[in-house]
Amino acid sequence: MNRHPLGTNAGRIRVVMIAGGLLVLSGCNIATVVGGGTLSATTATSISQSPTGSGFGSSTSLYTVDSTNSVVSTVSLSSDTESVVAGNGTDGSSGDGGPATAAQLNHPGAVTVEPNAAIIADTGNNKIRDLARTTRSHFGQSMTSGHIYTIGGTGLAGYSGDGATATAATFSSPTGISLDANGDPVIADTGNNVIRVIASTTGTYDNISMIQGDVYTIAGDGTLGYSGDAASATSATLDQPSCALVDGNGNVVIADSGNNVIRVVAESSGTFYGVAMTSGSIYTLAGDGVAGYSGDGGPAAAAEFQQPTGMALDSSGNLIIADSLNSVVRVLAESTGTYFGASMTADDVYTVMGNGTLGYSGDGGPALSAELADPTGVSLQGSENILVSDSGNDRIRERAIRNITQFGITMTAGDIYTIAGNGASRTSGSGGLSATSTVLDSPSGVASASSGSIAVSDTGGNVLRYVAGSSGTQFGVTMSDGDAYSIGGTGVAGYAGDGAIGSSAELNSPTAVVADSFGNIVFADSGNNVVRLIARSSGTYYGISATAGYIYTIGGNGVDGYSGDGGTATAATLNDPTGLALDAAGNIIVADSDNNVVRCIAEASGTYYGQATSVGDIYTIAGNNVAGYSGDGSGVLSAEFDQPTGLAVDASGNIVIADTFNNVVRLYALNSGSYFGRTVVAGNIYTIVGTGIEGYSGDGSPASMADLASPTGLTFDSAGNLIISDTSNSVIRGVPISTGSLYGTSVTADDIYTFAGNGVAGFAGDGGSWTTSSLNFPEGIAIDGSGNLLIADTLNNRIRKLS
């Protein structure tokens, strides 16, 4: 989840203001080393990769958001042709006031369509944009048909501007958008944990007096959490809401994704969805707040959901929900009756698409028997035909409510069909392409491998890439120096292939990756809730006999959960593992993110982290499985974390943990002593970077006084300096171990400094200075054999190197 053009500044001295004074930086170079290639596609069955949303512009055309290609297209109902209507396929932010097809978008997340405009959530640009369908004045701007305009957001990530002009406001990764009855865009401002409205005309809407073109928050206080039911919506806390829509009564329905619930803000007092409501207050409609898949045929409020995202309303007022991580589409019935071929009871929930198994199957058969993969958006065509953005399968699929022929397909009522996308991800370069000609899709993990090679988790592409540092046979593949190869995954989301050649396997959103001392590639196959290994050479690793080039699961059984400590790692359950590190003994340290713990898969039997271990078994070594922020100065097993991700191990064996949702970096002290300005006791946990407040401040001051925003990747350089990818700030920061000079910067031990990125999400700077470059949501980082820093510049779809 790109802008500022940058000239060549290599070798120059630059001076930038920081808190506390002037920081003098010398020119160190940044360059793209993997990614940056392009793809072209022309038809409905070849262009729609990783679709995130759709909406009908007329009775004959469907608008689709192709997030990874950064375009919006239309698909004809009468044929299989698809035409790009916004975006030139290059990530960026340009083109306002000109033809939409010449403009740049940046991983748009959603589109909503009205007769005169298609309104786009330009997620990566932190903007709301208007694709004019007619020539007119809109939001106080004169617009020409076919041209594109920004109607909300400056492009900077932030939360500001309420009650003033929307184009001067800041948003943070807006991902969902819909229109109310007045034509006002209702926006899920996901990164800010709020729902906002841009007024298309002056008047009173959502119980707020609004001025045309201004922006207002109508739900959420900007703090991540789950609170506030039955009280004022603007005092409630939300967790990464991804969609908001307005029902026929003017209520705003919210997919509160991180809380695994559906909530509603009442427009007026009354009883809606079986709940007595007060105007302006917020209520939970569906979901009990526990991630899971249960409750079909019963009250929606008692059901379990898992990351619900897109929603739509049918003509009867039933709510259609993309239950994303359960790989199904569900319905919350507004009233008792027969809908979608099933008898339903008011306020109960039912599955109407998908069998709950992640995969791709079922086209031409019953929708309830089909497999989906990470459905994110839903829309309706006609009265009840459901279209779903089957994002993990890189397709848009339809459940037909009646026998019909459309999109060039003869359909049977109740069955499912692919109407756009061919299942191929945006990625390219399975073998023989130069690294910089390869197309990546949201890479989130990078590792330095043997002989100067680079391993990349191509997360959105569902493949594991390997850029050869020398020519020869590696992982059973004949490789040429500098070319990129897929050594794991076919590009189709799924979980298959163990015990066979890695390139024939199915992966699902691989994230962290490391190269072990044997040269094997170990990675977190996050969507499958497992840790897997691709063997460089034949041998026995982590208790498993492996063949060169083959893939194996070494941790997790593929079911999300938290179990198995003290037993075989492959029998345990994990929940969205996203971080990995290796300690000096070769044990694999795993950030089991949704379980809020750190675990260890033992490479050899012995005593590690205060526990007797057996080879191939798994153990929790940090965290108590409760989401929170507590425990500093106490035993590590009693501490609370909130979505730990990145991990790194220092030379003393201490483990550093990116406690992402707490916006801090913490230290698990393996040994007593003094580290990062803290006196620590072995076995305890300590915050060493960050105040716990989300923000971007503190450069040139003690690291513990700085503000971070969703730190993810961590690594140590050869001198022991800690490097952090401060992801939502789109910068790389460092904490030096000693006073002196680091990367051309005069530094003080234990203070924090920004070394790469200018704090503006975008893509710029290759060939120039680190600090004036633009990054976009950088995640994984690693140090290569020459001491250069490798960055998974995730939303720029590149791996970049700081020399």
Side-chain angles (χ1 to χ4, degrees), residues 29 52 143 148 273 295 305 312 374 395 414 433 438 490 570 574 609 710 713 761 776 785 797:
N29 285 347
T52 54
M143 299 186 179
I148 196 168
Y273 306 98
F305 292 78
D374 193 24
R395 292 170 164 92
L433 282 182
T438 299
T490 62
T570 52
L574 309 176
Y609 309 103
S710 301
N776 197 350
N797 300 306

Side-chain angles (χ1 to χ4, degrees), residues 40 73 75 122 199 442 465 660 676 726 741 782:
S40 60
S73 303
V75 181
D122 195 358
S442 304
R465 300 271 174 205
T660 301
F676 301 100
D726 193 358
S741 179

Side-chain angles (χ1 to χ4, degrees), residues 207-258:
N207 301 294
I208 298 171
S209 179
M210 299 186 182
I211 297 174
Q212 183 186 58
D214 287 1
V215 66
Y216 303 85
T217 294
I218 60 170
D221 67 358
T223 303
L224 183 148
Y226 182 33
S227 68
D229 274 356
S232 171
T234 52
S235 298
T237 57
L238 309 177
D239 186 348
Q240 300 181 82
S242 60
C243 180
L245 56 79
V246 182
D247 69 13
N249 295 303
N251 306 309
V252 179
V253 186
I254 303 166
D256 194 357
S257 302

Side-chain angles (χ1 to χ4, degrees), residues 595-609:
N595 283 325
N596 301 297
V597 296
V598 178
R599 303 171 87 175
C600 172
I601 300 173
E603 162 59 12
S605 299
T607 299
Y608 305 101
Y609 309 103

